[in-house]
Amino acid sequence: MRVLVPALLMLTGCAQDTFEPPDLSALAPGVQQTLAGAEEVFEQSLATATTDVDRAAAWGRLCQHYHAHHLVTAAVDCYRQATSTAPTVFDWHYFLGHALRDTGDLSGAIAAFDRAAALRPDNRAAVYHAAITRLDNGDIYQPGSLLRGIDPDGRDAAVQAAIGRTLLLQGDARTAVGYYERALSLQPGASRLRYPLAQAYRKLGRSRDAQHQLAQAGDVDPIFDDPLIAELASLSRSAQFLIDRGKAAYAAGDVTAAERDFRAAIAADPLDPSTHATLAILLNDLGQLQAAQAAIRRALELDGADPTLLFLDGRLAERLGDHEHSARRYAETLERDPRHFRAMFLLGNAAMRAARFDEALQWYEQATQLVPRDVNARYHAGLAALAAGDCETAVDWLTDAMSRQSNYAPVIIALVRARAVCPSLADLHEGNLDLARQLAEAVPGNETVAASLAMALAAVGQFDEAL
């Protein structure tokens, strides 16, 4: 193990212990070269430093290079050297907080962020990260007041989302919804926020709104403007940094920059399947389906057993009209991940397209067993049973679906029709007509609803009105 300038450290008296730099041998050659250069600059800077602030800066710059390349344990040790050398310098306490957080030491991170905020009370980033880390550490009350103090006008999406998170954890879903909606209005590309927003909607009984949010959910976080972290990130030559920067660019609406960073990440680490998959997801969102498929298949060449990659290839094949290939990929996904709900549900859809209605019903039924609260799978199970000619089973599924989401028009329409065509359920026809009339009043002028009402009328013998 290399030991950096031990004689200088003893002469300056700035080090708590002799610092042993991390082993770089497992890193990519370009990263090794960058970090070796940073260590050389550190030794030169420390040798010429004349004040504690300068010596701390030499340490701090070296720490930043380790931190930017995810050598966080070394970064923590290094930042501690900087903070002990110049305790009144904000930057090194702030970066130490981030490094400790990255190692999982949340209590230590909170203390470091608090010291940074005490040195510069006007620094929004220190307060924000102190609040977020408290939240992650189980404190659901103090973070709210800290966050409101740095965004009194509600103009920062990341802060608004964090306040929403505190409220949701406190059980106030109604108020939390407003904060999450505000955050998404400020940064519509922050797709990860749609998960907790959907959770809040479900707690309020708004299942349809929750499903709409889940359909748009992704892995892009809201951006918090943090110049110091941007400076840290700029030091990195790692593929992960490029992916993170690309995701941030995409969230901000700059798809050109996002694609450039994702392709650069592939160039930096061409054997990582996740970089190819990330590019494929972006290209899919941009409608470049052929290019997206090429990217995901390159990822599969590198890891053909990953169920997420298999599923993504199936989705792209389906969008391109290759239903046979997509169904095969969904089946392969389930072989490797038997609890993959979406693959199960989409295999039901594939069976429906092929008019294999009994098989479709089996897939939908399995999906409901996996996610019992999912209304859409129950609705489709009802459609499959109806298509298979089993109207009684269809009515059972659709009645169950409506009991879980009583205002979902497609379920009501399907239930009205299933009851109307089921002679064995004649005792339900009068009540079915009432349900059809209520739907027609709620959705006037809709041809599908009108046709369903006509079927309900015909079922009770009111043919003239049905016509």
Side-chain angles (χ1 to χ4, degrees):
M1 175 67 74
R2 307 175 326 283
V3 179
L4 294 182
V5 288
L8 279 175
L9 302 184
M10 294 175 64
L11 287 172
T12 59
C14 66
Q16 299 168 346
D17 297 292
T18 299
F19 176 75
E20 293 186 347
D23 182 9
L24 308 180
S25 61
L27 303 177
V31 175
Q32 289 187 45
Q33 183 179 2
T34 296
L35 293 178
E39 290 174 352
E40 183 178 349
V41 170
F42 162 73
E43 293 190 348
Q44 294 169 354
S45 300
L46 197 61
T48 58
T50 58
T51 69
D52 283 346
V53 170
D54 290 339
R55 283 185 279 272
W59 276 109
R61 284 191 292 270
L62 177 63
C63 309
Q64 287 178 303
H65 280 281
Y66 291 147
H67 197 176
H69 291 90
H70 309 291
L71 300 171
V72 290
T73 300
V76 165
D77 293 341
C78 189
Y79 284 133
R80 289 195 190 282
Q81 301 280 1
T83 57
S84 65
T85 303
T88 60
V89 176
F90 166 88
D91 291 20
W92 313 130
H93 292 284
Y94 179 68
F95 284 124
L96 175 60
H98 280 285
L100 286 166
R101 179 182 169 87
D102 290 344
T103 66
D105 183 359
L106 300 185
S107 296
I110 291 168
F113 286 132
D114 283 348
R115 288 194 297 271
L119 290 167
R120 282 182 51 187
D122 62 331
N123 186 276
R124 296 177 69 251
V127 177
Y128 172 77
H129 289 292
I132 292 297
T133 309
R134 278 182 167 83
L135 196 54
D136 290 341
N137 203 37
D139 181 352
I140 63 174
Y141 293 102
Q142 186 179 0
S145 60
L146 294 173
L147 292 163
R148 289 183 178 89
I150 61 172
D151 188 29
D153 299 325
R155 296 180 179 179
D156 189 310
V159 176
Q160 294 295 294
I163 296 172
R165 181 182 167 197
T166 67
L167 292 165
L168 191 57
L169 289 170
Q170 292 169 22
D172 187 356
R174 190 173 304 280
T175 309
V177 162
Y179 279 96
Y180 281 121
E181 289 177 340
R182 173 67 175 165
L184 282 165
S185 72
L186 293 165
Q187 286 188 27
S191 56
R192 197 187 297 276
L193 297 183
R194 298 187 184 278
Y195 288 111
L197 178 55
Q199 183 183 358
Y201 280 144
R202 284 195 185 280
K203 288 181 179 296
L204 297 174
R206 296 168 59 178
S207 300
R208 190 172 183 182
D209 289 331
Q211 289 179 349
H212 179 69
Q213 291 300 321
L214 288 174
Q216 303 175 73
D219 62 352
V220 180
D221 289 310
I223 299 170
F224 180 81
D225 185 22
D226 193 338
L228 283 177
I229 291 300
E231 173 191 328
L232 178 70
S234 69
L235 300 174
S236 177
R237 293 187 59 179
S238 70
Q240 186 59 52
F241 159 68
L242 293 165
I243 288 174
D244 292 343
R245 190 173 71 178
K247 287 180 177 179
Y250 184 63
D254 190 348
V255 294
T256 301
E259 183 176 355
R260 182 176 63 245
D261 279 337
F262 292 155
R263 291 193 183 280
I266 290 173
D269 191 358
L271 299 182
D272 183 356
S274 67
T275 57
H276 295 275
T278 301
L279 176 61
I281 292 169
L282 172 68
L283 294 171
N284 174 70
D285 290 348
L286 297 177
Q288 300 177 31
L289 303 185
Q290 298 285 357
Q293 189 175 60
I296 204 66
R297 291 190 176 174
R298 174 55 182 149
L300 281 166
E301 289 174 7
L302 297 167
D303 186 358
D306 188 309
T308 300
L309 300 180
L310 291 165
F311 179 75
L312 288 172
D313 188 43
R315 292 294 285 152
L316 282 165
E318 185 172 344
R319 289 196 67 186
L320 287 165
D322 188 347
H323 298 300
E324 182 178 345
H325 181 80
S326 68
R328 185 164 59 251
R329 285 304 198 202
Y330 298 148
E332 291 172 355
T333 300
L334 280 177
E335 286 176 7
R336 290 162 177 81
D337 180 5
R339 296 183 62 80
H340 199 295
F341 172 81
R342 288 293 296 164
M344 200 175 287
F345 181 84
L346 291 172
L347 276 171
N349 289 357
M352 286 289 283
R353 276 194 301 270
R356 299 193 303 271
F357 303 122
D358 290 334
E359 178 189 338
L361 178 57
Q362 291 175 5
W363 285 120
Y364 294 137
E365 186 171 4
Q366 288 183 48
T368 64
Q369 292 169 359
L370 189 62
V371 184
R373 296 177 62 183
D374 190 85
V375 173
N376 203 33
R378 295 176 182 278
Y379 164 59
H380 279 80
L383 296 182
L386 190 60
D390 187 349
C391 62
E392 291 186 11
T393 299
V395 167
D396 288 342
W397 278 109
L398 294 167
T399 301
D400 187 11
M402 194 178 79
S403 71
R404 296 166 185 270
Q405 190 170 345
S406 59
N407 60 348
Y408 189 25
V411 170
I412 300 172
I413 291 170
L415 178 58
V416 166
R417 293 186 172 207
R419 285 174 173 174
V421 299
C422 209
S424 61
L425 300 177
D427 57 323
L428 298 179
H429 287 172
E430 289 293 343
N432 193 47
L433 178 57
D434 291 339
L435 179 62
R437 291 190 189 279
Q438 292 172 19
L439 181 62
E441 291 174 3
V443 191
N446 183 285
E447 291 184 3
T448 303
V449 171
S452 302
L453 175 58
M455 292 176 66
L457 287 164
V460 296
Q462 298 184 26
F463 300 108
D464 290 341
E465 188 177 349
L467 294 172

